[in-house]
Amino acid sequence: MAVQQWVRHHPHVMVMQPVLEISAADDFALWPVGEHELYGYLVLNGELTPAEVGTAVMRIAVWNDFEPEEKHGQCPTNPLSAFLHGLLTMPDLFAAGGFRVTDTTTGTVFVEPGSCNGPVTLALSQLRSGRSS
């Protein structure tokens, strides 16, 4: 892991990682997804497996599933297209997650998204369009 190789020369390093809230998707069959615990977080980085990328896309699509509105067009009848309709047509996308802060020396997690820290959503529309805040 590149981050660990870089930080091994430093006695104490804190790492902040973007994470996506995930849950088990036992009945999901539209594309391959990873096997996960009932509830947890997926670290979003350049080392995701294809199944983990599938899990991330699935969770983002679930968070952006909606009843069709006139401005987004009629929802397709094909199961895959219907599932992705909100993801592909909503101007602003959201997903549960946030940032996790970890001490790499001890492995202690100091800050983890969740109900104790208040609701956190990742605004994905800026990532999709290439805009920054």
Side-chain angles (χ1 to χ4, degrees):
M1 178 183 245
V3 171
Q4 288 179 345
Q5 290 173 353
W6 179 78
V7 298
R8 72 177 176 208
H9 303 291
H10 302 281
H12 189 72
V13 175
M14 304 297 272
V15 175
M16 185 176 357
Q17 300 170 304
V19 295
L20 182 65
E21 182 180 301
I22 58 171
S23 58
D26 298 330
D27 59 345
F28 185 80
L30 293 175
W31 58 76
V33 295
E35 293 184 23
H36 299 282
E37 300 173 11
L38 184 59
Y39 175 82
Y41 294 100
L42 176 64
V43 175
L44 302 177
N45 62 27
E47 298 177 8
L48 295 177
T49 67
E52 289 171 328
V53 171
T55 298
V57 172
M58 183 261 308
R59 292 305 306 161
I60 294 168
V62 165
W63 272 93
N64 292 280
D65 191 19
F66 66 97
E67 292 296 322
E69 297 177 17
E70 288 182 26
K71 64 182 176 181
H72 300 294
Q74 185 175 7
C75 190
T77 56
N78 171 305
L80 177 60
S81 297
F83 183 74
L84 295 174
H85 186 69
L87 179 71
L88 298 174
T89 61
M90 294 289 287
D92 296 313
L93 299 176
F94 296 94
F99 290 95
R100 178 172 61 196
V101 179
T102 307
D103 178 340
T104 60
T105 304
T106 65
T108 303
V109 175
F110 289 101
V111 178
E112 185 133 20
S115 59
C116 294
N117 297 324
V120 177
T121 57
L122 300 171
L124 301 170
S125 60
Q126 291 180 348
L127 295 175
R128 181 172 58 184
S129 67
R131 296 177 297 182
S132 61
S133 306

